[in-house]
Structures are given as structure tokens and as C-alpha cells.
Amino acid sequence: MKWLWLGLIMLLTGCTGVPEGLQPAGGFDSARYLGRWYEIARLDHSFERGLTNVTADYRRLDDGRIEVINRGFDAQKKKWSEVRGVARFQGSQDVASLEVSFFGPFYGGYHVLVLDPDYRHALVAGPNRDYLWILAREPQLDQATLDRLIAQASAWGFATGKLILVDHQPRS
């Protein structure tokens, strides 16, 4: 399964820009963003295909970078898959535009486009409109908020009709 996660690296290698015409959230406080986020919805990619119960954990490292641990359950193989990486800011630390690496010197864009004022949910894009995630602090997000985030992403040109809603049923 790790080779699938590495697909993320291959797809994003050297692609750290923000999707054209969009801006990452300002007034970003990385300390408030740290901790666990649940993947509520995503556009499909080989590096996450078939995964349920997907989470992302963020922790500040001593050198100022952020450790990223992505974890998901592969129902077909009946086992957990995990990948670790590091993130760093692309510019000012109060702008939610980072680059993440899961493999050596290769980085991909990670841009928080919408962030709840209480840091309870977020809409995140990669370097282009092929990468989109809706994240929340809890495994479920109320339908009105989810609908609003999907509508915003659709207005920005993301293929929201192809979003996968992530199952968060308990697994052993």
C-alpha cells in the first residue's frame, strides 16, 4: 500500500503552487491547525483509492516544520496503511500555503482554501483542481456545512460530482 502513497509524491513532485485564481486562507495559526483531522470527502487518486477511516495528524517538529501522518484502512486488504511526511510553509506562516513531502526532497502543494474560524473544518487543495479534500475535527460533518463547502469548491471549478465521501466506521 505504501507504493500508492508514494504515488502522491510522483503526482505532486515539484508542484507546489496554488490552483490558478485561488488564494489560501490568511490569518492562519498553525498551532490551532495541529492535531487530528478526519477526511470527510476527497477527489479520488491512486494513493488513497479504497481507503476508509482516513485521518491526518499534524505535529510541530523542533525545527519548525510540521510532521504529517496520514493513515487509512484498506478494506480490501483488511489492514491499515500509514505514511509519514513533513510540511513547511511556502511563505509567510500566517498564510495557509504549505508544501508537503513524503519522500526526500520532493514536495507537493497543500493549500487551505477555506478554514472554519474555530478550526473545526477545512477545504484543502493541492497544486491544481485535481486535488481536493474536505477535512473536519470529527469523523462526521453536518450536512449543511458539507453542502456549503462542496458548493464553494464547485464554484471554484473543482469536479465535486466526483467527490468520494469517506466512511469512518470503526475498524480493528
Side-chain angles (χ1 to χ4, degrees), residues 27-37 58-60 64-66 89 93-94 98 115 118-119 137:
F28 185 68
D29 180 353
S30 63
R32 293 182 68 197
Y33 198 79
L34 299 177
R36 172 157 293 173
W37 289 86
Y58 303 96
R59 173 179 80 85
R60 172 96 47 215
R65 295 179 304 161
I66 297 170
F89 283 91
Q93 291 192 14
D94 69 341
L98 297 98
L115 182 60
D118 294 323
Y119 288 65
R137 292 296 191 172

Side-chain angles (χ1 to χ4, degrees), residues 104-124:
F106 306 108
Y107 283 83
Y110 181 99
H111 312 286
V112 181
L113 302 177
V114 175
L115 182 60
D116 173 63
D118 294 323
Y119 288 65
R120 304 302 306 158
H121 58 266
L123 181 70
V124 179

Side-chain angles (χ1 to χ4, degrees), residues 153-169:
S154 179
W156 283 336
F158 288 91
T160 57
K162 295 181 179 182
L163 280 172
I164 294 169
L165 298 178
V166 180
D167 177 26
H168 282 282
Q169 298 300 315

Side-chain angles (χ1 to χ4, degrees), residues 37-85:
W37 289 86
Y38 293 85
E39 188 178 270
I40 303 301
R42 68 172 179 262
L43 288 178
D44 190 30
H45 291 286
S46 61
F47 53 87
E48 285 187 282
R49 190 155 295 136
L51 295 183
T52 63
N53 294 291
V54 178
T55 58
D57 289 287
Y58 303 96
R59 173 179 80 85
R60 172 96 47 215
L61 297 172
D62 291 340
D63 64 6
R65 295 179 304 161
I66 297 170
E67 178 184 49
V68 180
I69 302 171
N70 289 339
R71 189 170 192 253
F73 187 76
D74 186 326
Q76 186 175 31
K77 294 182 180 179
K78 298 188 183 340
K79 69 177 193 174
W80 288 95
S81 177
E82 181 178 287
V83 63
R84 293 174 180 260

Side-chain angles (χ1 to χ4, degrees), residues 15-18 88-93 95-100 107-111:
C15 301
T16 59
V18 180
R88 62 186 183 199
F89 283 91
Q90 292 196 51
S92 174
Q93 291 192 14
V95 175
S97 183
L98 297 98
E99 51 191 18
V100 180
Y107 283 83
Y110 181 99
H111 312 286

